[in-house]
Amino acid sequence: MAKKRSGSFTRRDFLKTTGAAAVVAGAGPYFLFPERAQAQQKTLKIAQWSHFVPEYDKWFDNEYTKAWGQKHNTNVIVDHINLTEINARAAAEVSAKKGHDLFMFLSPPAAFEQQTLDMTHVYQEIEKKHGKKIDLAHKSTYNPKTKKYFAFSDSYVPDPGNYYKEWWAEAGFPNGPDTYDDLRTGAKKIKDKRGNPCGIGLSQELDTSMALRALLWSFGGAEQDEHGNVTINSKATIEALKYMKALFQESETSEVFTWDPSSNNRAMLAGKTSYVANAISVTRQAEREHSPISSHIMVCKAPKGPVRRIAAEHVMDCYVVWNFAENKEGAQQFLIDYIDNFKQGFDAGKWYNFPCFPSTVPDIKKTVQNDPAADPPDKYKVLADVLDWATNVGYPGYATAAIDEAFRTWVIPTMFAKVARGDETPENAAKAAEQEYKRIFERWK
Amino acid sequence: MAVTGVPPATVDAQPPRPDESAAVRVPWHRTPENRAILLGIGMFAPAVLFIATLIGVPFVMAFVYAFTDVKVGSITSHYVGLENFRSILQSPSFRKALVNSFIFTITSQVLVIIGATILSTALKDRFRGRGFVRFLILLPWVAPISLGAIGWKWILDSLYSVINWVLVALHFYKPYSAPMWLGEPQLAMASVILVHTWRLLPFSTVIMLAGLTAIPKDIPEAAQVDGAGFWRTLFQITIPMMLPIIMVAVLFGIIFTFTDMTVVYVLTAGGPYDSTQVLPSLAFFTGILAGDLSQGAAISLFLVPIMVAVTYVMLRLAYKSEGA
């Protein structure tokens, strides 16, 4: 065997030395500075949508999460996802059992219940300070069968009407349509006189789904009852379908079949449509861009139907903490602290998100009466009593996984669209929808 | 004892010891035959790995899912036999998507083959700017499909359609009565088919061009000498000789079309009211977005027997025409 030369450095020596150095470098601080090792910074990863009001994201990313992170010695990472990609991303995270600690959905994620932490504790902690949550939050995040809160809801977004002031005044409705009869009469007059169509969507997308549910409920129809039994095939549903057919044929164009969630915003801001059902993102965008049309677009309550005035929340913020999250405690604490500071978020989002804990914005009814940024300043006053006419998807029951599948496979928009175009009678469409609902409900039993 | 490749002088000077004869034996992986085998394995391995991980594993998972009650958030799942298939057959959306998949595929493939035949015939001969024209034609295939589809979405948009703007500017339509390309069921299906055709045309054209250039020139020249005109040469000589390659183009086209959901997803999301819904998009909406994984898997598995049958028939036809 060759004798090792003095002063030479073999490959084995190199590996030994570097290996030892790596061990010392890695473990050193734990022996030398144990307090520093204990205080090692944690990470909290949050995924949520790109907000329709960009100012909210600026506040959330650059101010609130930074301040919270410093206070809790946590590096908060916020990833924004396009709203149409949220569920696909969630499915990927669940499949990989890896991802964000806190994941925000825009609709009740009941299908993911088995993969999420029970949020009862979070609700309880917050209710000690801020009082009871609204029923809308309860119905959207609670499974009565398993007695589990599969998500936590901090806020909801109202879904009022947006109308072109001068045209509706001309048609005899200076404050916009108050009832569905007003909507039909006024929209027809405007279309006949000016050619501008009404913009209640009939497409396979979010805004359409909400607007048509509002119409259905206002006429007394519903997808299910309080106990989760399918009730879509009813006289009330058929009346709602007849109404929509008349509204479409008298006052709309086929463009409502093509829409995505932002199409009605664009149509309204382009001065094309006379009325859309949407959140206040339409008017906020006009204000942000100092668009001349801003002073022409007004906000009204969701129209009243023959039975009631009611509308779906436009979107429902629902945070979940995955069972496989790496920082479960941090994620839950973040939510508890976030509600303490909800008023800041309410203002940063230009009142887009309304609180699920009303006491966090105590003067909300007074606040919305006067917004200096709006033209006129009392544009948003109709939102003062929004809780009286806003409800959850699945009303009058809970937002279950079956309701979510029906929502995401567009059963309601398909039913309305077929009737509106005359491809199906209201009776047959309601019957077909009933079969589809029963089939879906059967799968989630 | 002489050893191949070793100079005799060296052998004479230092006769090899018995154990040294093993040392000069060529290792098994250095023999020409084994080297070729190893090279073959090495070159096949990436493709096999790629197919196994990105196609094989998901396929097996889809197959397993389709016979269980697994949902997107499930921790456990149970065998349910054919229940998922029974359920989707009751769904009007599924039945519509199945029919639409055939309409979408067959129509777009007919258009692609006609267009590719015309283009490849036009591009086979030399002319000034041929390279540039070929580059332009290839662009839709080179550009990412999602980018192209988004471009078309704006071209066909209800509010900002440049086509409608021109039609209104030329007074063919009044401002609010221009065609809603993605809003009328027939127009929407036509739009989806045309955009997909635009996307696939370059691929088929390139395949056909390769086939055309492989035809010996003396055969069509002889036909011309015998008095055959352009059409007769095209239909009785060129196309029959190209049939095997046309079959390959059609086979790829059918597979790309049947399994594609990008164009539909971006342009219409299956609307208006499912009139452009196809099986891949319905599987995505049901399995991923709505969380019913097992049903989404069952929908996607419906494609498999269709694809297998189509592939078998096309390859048989190609084989027969090649033999002929």
Side-chain angles (χ1 to χ4, degrees):
Chain A
M1 191 177 126
K3 198 176 177 183
K4 191 179 163 185
R5 280 185 299 161
S6 63
S8 68
F9 196 70
T10 65
R11 189 167 56 184
R12 181 168 294 179
D13 293 337
F14 175 77
L15 287 173
K16 277 181 184 172
T17 311
T18 50
V23 169
V24 170
Y30 292 92
F31 294 110
L32 299 173
F33 311 107
E35 70 286 354
R36 194 182 295 175
Q38 280 172 3
Q40 207 172 35
Q41 197 177 42
K42 289 179 184 171
T43 299
L44 178 68
K45 287 181 275 183
I46 303 173
Q48 58 188 39
W49 74 316
S50 298
H51 203 286
F52 260 132
V53 180
E55 290 87 341
Y56 178 88
D57 285 345
K58 281 183 194 161
W59 167 80
F60 190 82
D61 298 1
N62 303 330
E63 292 179 34
Y64 182 68
T65 51
K66 290 248 178 344
W68 189 89
Q70 278 177 353
K71 191 177 168 190
H72 292 84
N73 190 29
T74 302
N75 178 28
V76 183
I77 298 166
V78 186
D79 292 320
H80 292 281
I81 306 169
N82 183 292
L83 74 100
T84 55
E85 307 297 329
I86 289 173
N87 278 50
R89 176 62 191 239
E93 294 200 1
V94 163
S95 177
K97 296 278 182 290
K98 196 141 187 77
H100 296 83
D101 302 300
L102 205 50
F103 195 99
M104 194 190 96
F105 290 83
L106 286 180
S107 58
F112 291 92
E113 181 179 334
Q114 290 180 315
Q115 299 286 348
T116 65
L117 286 191
D118 188 348
M119 302 297 262
T120 306
H121 159 71
V122 176
Y123 272 125
Q124 283 171 347
E125 281 296 307
I126 292 169
E127 284 180 347
K128 280 180 199 166
K129 280 193 212 169
H130 299 289
K132 279 188 79 67
K133 61 189 163 298
I134 58 174
D135 191 51
L136 179 48
H138 173 70
K139 289 265 183 68
S140 298
T141 57
Y142 185 69
N143 183 344
K145 281 186 186 166
T146 58
K147 315 269 185 234
K148 176 182 174 181
Y149 281 102
F150 51 81
F152 170 83
S153 184
D154 64 294
S155 64
Y156 67 100
V157 176
D159 200 21
N162 297 250
Y163 66 98
Y164 199 100
K165 186 171 67 176
E166 286 77 9
W167 300 344
W168 281 87
E170 233 174 45
F173 303 97
N175 297 316
D178 185 54
T179 66
Y180 278 101
D181 280 343
D182 293 351
L183 180 66
R184 187 174 161 191
T185 311
K188 184 175 183 321
K189 279 185 185 173
I190 294 167
K191 174 98 186 321
D192 288 347
K193 184 173 180 186
R194 298 181 163 275
N196 295 82
C198 178
I200 299 284
L202 284 164
S203 183
Q204 315 206 131
E205 52 92 24
L206 175 78
D207 290 15
T208 293
S209 294
M210 296 308 187
L212 295 179
R213 277 172 173 79
L215 171 63
L216 177 71
W217 296 329
S218 301
F219 274 73
E223 298 154 275
Q224 61 173 0
D225 63 17
E226 296 91 331
H227 309 292
N229 302 307
V230 174
T231 57
I232 190 71
N233 188 9
S234 65
K235 274 188 178 177
T237 299
I238 290 166
E239 288 307 309
L241 288 166
K242 285 178 182 169
Y243 174 88
M244 190 64 225
K245 181 178 183 179
L247 181 72
F248 170 74
Q249 293 183 343
E250 290 166 3
S251 312
E252 299 204 320
T253 67
S254 296
E255 76 174 305
V256 292
F257 296 112
T258 73
W259 279 359
D260 60 38
S262 57
S263 298
N264 54 4
N265 294 49
R266 290 196 296 272
M268 198 76 204
L269 290 168
K272 187 176 181 185
T273 48
S274 61
Y275 177 96
V276 299
N278 201 345
I280 61 171
S281 52
V282 177
T283 45
R284 288 307 192 196
Q285 187 178 345
E287 288 160 17
R288 188 171 62 248
E289 294 169 355
H290 304 291
S291 167
I293 203 169
S294 178
S295 59
H296 299 289
I297 304 174
M298 295 295 289
V299 178
C300 61
K301 292 179 187 180
K304 188 179 176 188
V307 175
R308 57 175 81 92
R309 183 193 304 280
I310 195 167
E313 32 74 17
H314 188 71
V315 294
M316 193 81 202
D317 279 19
C318 293
Y319 281 103
V320 301
V321 180
W322 300 125
N323 285 332
F324 50 82
E326 288 169 11
N327 188 0
K328 295 188 184 85
E329 293 76 20
Q332 289 174 303
Q333 189 59 49
F334 182 89
L335 292 175
I336 292 167
D337 295 342
Y338 178 67
I339 297 302
D340 289 343
N341 296 282
F342 186 82
K343 177 71 165 62
Q344 289 179 50
F346 176 74
D347 290 333
K350 310 281 183 199
W351 310 349
Y352 187 83
N353 295 82
F354 272 50
C356 285
F357 295 89
S359 69
T360 54
V361 189
D363 51 353
I364 196 164
K365 288 192 179 181
K366 196 178 160 198
T367 304
V368 297
Q369 302 290 332
N370 181 29
D371 180 4
D375 183 10
D378 66 349
K379 184 179 278 187
Y380 301 106
K381 66 181 178 186
V382 295
L383 300 178
D385 64 349
V386 62
L387 263 185
D388 295 340
W389 47 269
T391 193
N392 60 291
V393 173
Y395 168 87
Y398 286 82
T400 61
I403 284 289
D404 192 41
E405 177 168 342
F407 186 94
R408 294 190 183 282
T409 49
W410 318 115
V411 181
I412 295 285
T414 301
M415 174 180 77
F416 272 97
K418 280 185 175 173
V419 174
R421 272 192 57 91
D423 287 0
E424 197 64 274
T425 63
E427 291 77 10
N428 286 345
K431 200 175 166 188
E434 182 186 36
Q435 286 172 354
E436 191 63 353
Y437 267 95
K438 283 185 171 169
R439 189 182 70 80
I440 292 169
F441 273 49
E442 188 65 31
R443 298 189 57 76
W444 290 93
K445 262 187 177 172
Chain B
M1 185 178 77
V3 177
T4 314
V6 178
T10 313
V11 173
D12 291 343
Q14 291 178 326
R17 287 175 294 180
D19 58 332
E20 271 189 342
S21 64
V24 291
R25 198 182 299 148
V26 180
W28 74 271
H29 61 278
R30 291 275 174 90
T31 63
E33 299 81 18
N34 291 340
R35 281 175 71 114
I37 290 169
L38 283 175
L39 181 68
I41 291 171
M43 293 181 81
F44 262 118
V48 171
L49 197 68
F50 178 82
I51 291 168
T53 50
L54 296 181
I55 297 170
V57 172
F59 176 74
V60 172
M61 284 173 74
F63 196 81
V64 172
Y65 284 173
F67 294 94
T68 66
D69 61 356
V70 68
K71 302 286 190 295
V72 73
S74 295
I75 294 171
T76 56
S77 59
H78 308 93
Y79 175 74
V80 293
L82 295 171
E83 171 56 30
N84 290 317
F85 296 95
R86 187 196 63 78
S87 179
I88 55 172
L89 284 170
Q90 289 177 350
S91 164
S93 293
F94 172 77
R95 294 195 295 267
K96 183 77 179 163
L98 188 63
V99 173
N100 284 346
S101 290
F102 279 100
I103 294 172
F104 179 50
T105 305
I106 292 168
T107 315
S108 59
Q109 278 318 295
V110 169
L111 293 175
V112 163
I113 292 304
I114 293 171
T117 308
I118 294 169
L119 276 177
S120 57
T121 309
L123 290 172
K124 130 184 107 139
D125 298 321
R126 287 189 177 279
F127 60 88
R128 186 185 288 270
R130 185 175 72 160
F132 183 66
V133 174
R134 282 184 173 185
F135 165 74
L136 282 183
I137 287 167
L138 261 181
L139 266 184
W141 181 255
V142 177
I145 178 63
S146 50
L147 211 63
I150 289 170
W152 278 105
K153 186 176 170 62
W154 284 108
I155 290 170
L156 303 170
D157 184 66
S158 61
L159 195 59
Y160 299 115
S161 167
V162 67
I163 299 172
N164 284 1
W165 184 86
V166 170
L167 291 175
V168 171
L170 294 174
H171 300 288
F172 285 117
Y173 288 96
K174 289 178 183 171
Y176 296 112
S177 60
M180 288 299 149
W181 303 103
L182 305 176
E184 300 282 343
Q186 289 81 10
L187 276 180
M189 183 49 105
S191 302
V192 165
I193 287 170
L194 285 175
V195 171
H196 195 74
T197 303
W198 167 85
R199 158 78 175 160
L200 274 190
L201 192 57
F203 176 73
S204 294
T205 303
V206 169
I207 291 184
M208 302 274 245
L209 257 178
L212 265 182
T213 48
I215 296 175
K217 282 188 179 171
D218 52 343
I219 300 177
E221 279 170 7
Q224 276 180 349
V225 170
D226 291 345
F230 171 79
W231 296 109
R232 198 160 179 192
T233 310
L234 180 71
F235 285 109
Q236 294 194 348
I237 293 174
T238 311
I239 290 181
M241 289 190 77
M242 280 176 61
L243 214 50
I245 206 124
I246 290 176
M247 290 301 165
V248 171
V250 172
L251 178 62
F252 274 100
I254 287 175
I255 291 169
F256 286 150
T257 311
F258 237 121
T259 55
D260 179 77
M261 61 165 271
T262 316
V263 173
V264 167
Y265 183 69
V266 173
L267 287 188
T268 63
Y273 50 90
D274 286 336
S275 47
T276 58
Q277 194 76 270
V278 289
L279 291 180
S281 58
L282 185 66
F284 178 73
F285 285 127
T286 309
I288 304 298
L289 297 188
D292 197 341
L293 271 184
S294 53
Q295 189 160 251
I299 293 169
S300 64
L301 274 192
F302 251 86
L303 296 168
V304 176
I306 298 168
M307 288 291 93
V308 170
V310 167
T311 307
Y312 177 77
V313 171
M314 300 305 286
L315 289 178
R316 287 287 298 171
L317 283 175
Y319 178 74
K320 272 187 182 175
S321 53
E322 209 171 14

